[in-house]
Amino acid sequence: MKILQAALLIFSLGLAGAAQSRNQAPVRTDLMSTLLELDRTAASLNADITHLQIEKWKGGWKTGFTTSNSHKSKAGQSAQALQRNLRGALPELIRDAMNSRGGLLATFKVYEDMNLVCQTLDSLVDTAEQYATKEEYAPLMNDYNNLVRLRRVLSTYIQQRAAAADGGASPAAFTTFSSPIATDGSPMPRKIVVDDGAPDKKSATAAKKKKGTIQYSNVN
């Protein structure tokens, strides 16, 4: 009986491992769908930034003294810069990439602009985590995770498209590509938003003391 139970256990573990391997396999992704999702994500981010009440963000405390309002000023500048991009540059670049049917140059311009958006948004998210309400911070964090995920997908497309071009493949035949992540799947999050508690401000402050600049582990 014990031998039978052990055999069943090994068999079930083997099935679970095989299923996990299938789930981790690359998926076929359509670039046009990715660009459309990026356009929707940019619109969502713009709306979430509009709902930020930066002027009401509270001050922090350091060694018993209230910090200045410099974080509000920097957050306001980042928010304005992001909204100018999200309302102008990024949507136009997305349209150009779609009109070119995923042309390599046009798609690379979208990817390049996304790097700027993610870098600026990362700084704004850091400040929002410390001073904003959870209702303001959570949507902003979700937008950031979605943008990072879509940026990785675009990076994969550009790499595969360039490799295909070097190999003499016809650009017209390159309509879909193998993505390491599904465009509607879960990204590798920058941070985890916990709904049942406020963000750990002490941990965020300690992390900033340990490094002088923000490092992006998911930049392709």
Side-chain angles (χ1 to χ4, degrees):
M1 187 67 179
K2 291 183 178 180
I3 296 176
L4 178 60
Q5 290 177 345
L8 290 174
L9 177 61
I10 294 173
F11 179 72
S12 63
L13 290 175
L15 289 179
Q20 185 176 6
S21 298
R22 287 196 298 270
N23 291 336
Q24 293 176 349
V27 295
R28 299 299 293 176
T29 302
D30 175 63
L31 179 66
M32 297 301 110
S33 298
T34 301
L35 292 172
L36 285 172
E37 184 181 0
L38 174 58
D39 190 57
R40 292 192 297 269
T41 302
S44 174
L45 173 58
N46 180 56
D48 291 334
I49 292 176
T50 301
H51 295 149
L52 295 178
Q53 296 182 320
I54 297 176
E55 69 282 353
K56 295 184 179 180
W57 288 1
K58 59 186 177 180
W61 288 88
K62 271 186 183 179
T63 63
F65 294 94
T66 307
T67 61
S68 67
N69 289 328
S70 60
H71 62 280
K72 293 183 182 180
S73 177
K74 292 179 181 178
Q77 293 173 6
S78 296
Q80 292 176 7
L82 283 168
Q83 289 195 302
R84 285 195 299 268
N85 193 310
L86 295 169
R87 293 171 179 172
L90 186 55
E92 292 176 5
L93 292 173
I94 293 173
R95 283 194 295 270
D96 290 344
M98 296 185 70
N99 290 336
S100 72
R101 302 301 300 172
L104 189 57
L105 177 60
T107 307
F108 178 75
K109 289 181 178 180
V110 176
Y111 173 77
E112 192 175 36
D113 191 68
M114 286 184 69
N115 282 332
L116 296 176
V117 171
C118 287
Q119 182 177 5
T120 305
L121 181 57
D122 184 274
S123 175
L124 181 60
V125 168
D126 266 343
T127 307
E129 183 183 22
Q130 296 184 68
Y131 303 109
T133 64
K134 183 174 66 177
E135 288 73 18
E136 293 174 295
Y137 168 73
L140 210 62
M141 187 69 258
N142 291 334
D143 292 332
Y144 179 88
N145 283 337
N146 286 331
L147 283 175
V148 168
R149 171 173 53 83
L150 292 170
R151 182 179 62 177
R152 291 179 61 204
V153 173
L154 282 184
S155 174
T156 301
Y157 170 80
I158 293 170
Q159 292 176 26
Q160 294 184 15
R161 178 69 182 261
D166 288 344
S170 171
F174 203 88
T175 55
T176 60
F177 60 104
S178 298
S179 172
I181 50 176
T183 55
D184 60 349
S186 300
M188 293 181 65
R190 170 181 177 274
K191 297 171 185 173
I192 299 175
V193 180
V194 181
D195 292 333
D196 59 353
D200 189 348
K201 300 177 183 178
K202 293 183 179 179
S203 298
T205 303
K208 286 190 173 182
K209 289 181 179 179
K210 292 181 180 178
K211 56 182 181 178
T213 57
I214 300 173
Q215 298 178 353
Y216 300 88
S217 60
N218 47 17
V219 175
N220 290 292

